[in-house]
Amino acid sequence: MIEKLSAIGGRALEEIEKTSSFESLDQIRVSLLGKKGSLNEVLKGLSGINPEERPVIGAAANEWKRKIEAALEVRKSSLEKVHLEQQLQKEKLDISAPARLAHRGSLHLVTQTVRRMMQIFGRLGFDVTLGPEAETDYLNFEAVNIPADHPARDMQDTFFLGPGVVLRTHTSGVQMRSMLAQKWPVRVLCPGAVYRCDHDATHSPMFHQVEGLWVDKNVRMSDLKGVLQFWARELFGSDTQIRLRPSYFPFVEPGAEVDVSCFRCRVKASDDCKICKGTGWLEVLGAGMVHPRLFEMAGYSGDTEGLSGFAFGIGVERIAMLLHEVPDLRLLFQGDVRFLSQF
Ligand code: PHE
């Protein structure tokens, strides 16, 4: 039996040495050491042997088992080494090759511009408030001092959705909603999409506004100037100046158009400045002191002595176009990613 064991063991060691794959190595293991493996088959004959010899044969069988296991282990690790070596050869990495950059999305230029403004006015204590784009005729017009027969309605070519409902032509209705919802002090910023029936290189039927409202006791026009001055410097550069020109909006009195000095030619008004067309100034927004009629409409009563406020309305697309020298408003809404991903 000892010879039989040595024959099996010796052959096994040779075979193990010759194996070149993990699969055949495993097959050898099963055929020798498995339950029905040849080593076990030999040991099954142990019962027919006299008891004195059994321990000797058992020890020899265990010795072969150990040797075979060790040989399997050695072969396995050398096969692993070869395998790894082959893989490294095959999958060579060129770490000097330029990286392929992952595609990253970006926010739409209009969204970016609105967010910048929310940040700037947020630092002055303005809360952001939103309202519906389908607005009542009453809040869009009447409540902000534009009655049905008022000529100012023509300033804003309106989309009518149905009786008494319009696509809001400005976010001033949201300001009125804020005043209806709370007493002074009110300091809100109303960003959002607005709609006017107009379409060319500088007008879109849908565009965005950021309107602001500050109502409290003794709010003065100089406060309005200070707030807008801060905004203009943050957005266009620290040496930006603003100027107010008298203008008319039904919801403010007095009202003003506000210009900022050209951030390119810095009021030098150079003739070839493409941004300001040589005027040195850029018209960017409307503003004014809240018309007292709006406080009445808001139901403000009681201790209203000295109550005042200012409002302003900024066209977001115009600001974005100026800052990034976008020549045509329509580019912003055509959904061409090659254009949009520049910002
Ligand atoms: N609501 C005005 C518009 O859309 C903008 C504005 C707001 C003007 C506040 C003055 C004061 O045209």
Side-chain angles (χ1 to χ4, degrees):
M1 233 172 164
I2 296 276
E3 289 89 69
K4 218 173 173 186
L5 281 173
S6 327
I8 293 173
R11 209 174 333 115
L13 292 186
E14 266 171 46
E15 265 177 58
I16 292 171
E17 196 56 39
K18 275 189 269 169
T19 338
S20 58
S21 78
F22 293 108
E23 292 81 27
S24 50
L25 203 60
D26 203 50
Q27 271 165 17
I28 295 176
R29 186 183 59 77
V30 174
S31 72
L32 286 164
L33 308 177
K35 250 199 196 134
K36 292 196 178 131
S38 41
L39 220 50
N40 267 337
E41 289 300 318
V42 174
L43 291 178
K44 270 184 200 155
L46 223 51
S47 52
I49 285 178
N50 83 48
E52 284 93 74
E53 275 183 64
R54 274 187 215 165
V56 183
I57 294 173
N62 276 334
E63 178 62 16
W64 275 113
K65 199 174 162 194
R66 201 191 48 72
K67 272 193 196 157
I68 291 168
E69 273 170 354
L72 284 169
E73 207 44 57
V74 169
R75 190 72 197 136
K76 194 174 156 209
S77 65
S78 80
L79 280 181
E80 270 167 0
K81 225 183 266 169
V82 172
H83 183 71
L84 182 68
E85 208 53 52
Q86 281 170 348
Q87 211 157 4
L88 286 176
Q89 284 296 328
K90 212 166 46 188
E91 299 171 8
K92 239 185 201 155
L93 281 184
D94 179 0
I95 54 166
S96 67
R100 245 181 279 142
L101 291 181
H103 173 74
R104 281 217 262 151
S106 59
L107 290 174
H108 193 281
L109 181 57
V110 169
T111 310
Q112 288 181 37
T113 312
V114 170
R115 289 196 181 180
R116 256 180 96 181
M117 292 207 232
M118 293 199 298
Q119 230 169 18
I120 295 171
F121 287 113
R123 286 164 60 197
L124 296 176
F126 283 84
D127 289 322
V128 172
T129 173
L130 304 175
E133 291 175 22
E135 183 59 282
T136 60
D137 184 291
Y138 176 76
L139 282 170
N140 193 79
F141 292 124
E142 302 260 344
V144 293
N145 203 29
I146 317 180
D149 56 354
H150 200 288
R153 286 217 183 198
D154 290 343
M155 286 163 67
Q156 313 193 347
D157 303 298
T158 312
F159 290 108
F160 292 91
L161 289 184
V165 183
V166 300
L167 277 177
R168 66 181 178 194
T169 59
H170 50 186
T171 57
S172 301
V174 186
Q175 308 187 4
M176 186 40 93
R177 284 172 180 272
S178 300
M179 286 202 286
L180 287 166
Q182 76 186 82
K183 262 189 120 173
W184 67 89
V186 174
R187 201 187 309 170
V188 289
L189 202 65
C190 315
V194 299
Y195 302 84
R196 289 181 202 179
C197 195
D198 214 347
H199 198 27
D200 60 34
T202 52
H203 296 88
S204 154
M206 187 278 301
F207 61 102
H208 297 77
Q209 278 191 331
V210 168
E211 292 204 5
L213 173 74
W214 185 327
V215 177
D216 203 348
K217 291 286 177 84
N218 303 317
V219 173
R220 293 164 305 184
M221 193 129 187
S222 53
D223 296 319
L224 169 63
K225 272 190 83 173
V227 164
L228 293 178
Q229 176 78 74
F230 178 79
W231 165 78
R233 288 189 174 160
E234 289 294 308
L235 207 55
F236 294 103
S238 56
D239 54 352
T240 306
Q241 301 166 37
I242 63 167
R243 74 175 183 192
L244 274 62
R245 286 177 290 107
S247 185
Y248 173 72
F249 300 96
F251 24 84
V252 287
E253 186 57 43
E257 300 266 11
V258 182
D259 301 340
V260 298
S261 54
C262 178
F263 56 89
R264 180 55 50 80
C265 66
R266 307 270 169 224
V267 208
K268 281 189 214 91
S270 72
D271 280 341
D272 52 359
C273 178
K274 277 202 224 99
I275 308 273
C276 66
K277 314 249 162 29
T279 63
W281 294 94
L282 304 163
E283 185 187 321
V284 286
L285 63 105
M289 301 307 290
V290 178
H291 197 292
R293 182 102 183 91
L294 269 68
F295 296 142
E296 276 169 42
M297 292 299 221
Y300 282 179
S301 58
D303 176 28
T304 53
E305 181 67 27
L307 188 65
S308 58
F310 63 75
F312 55 84
I314 307 169
V316 178
E317 281 79 358
R318 168 141 173 84
I319 302 291
M321 287 171 74
L322 282 172
L323 284 173
H324 297 278
E325 292 177 50
V326 178
D328 189 322
L329 173 64
R330 288 167 290 202
L331 283 167
L332 292 172
F333 302 121
Q334 279 162 351
D336 187 335
V337 178
R338 290 170 307 175
F339 168 75
L340 294 172
S341 61
Q342 297 176 86
F343 308 107

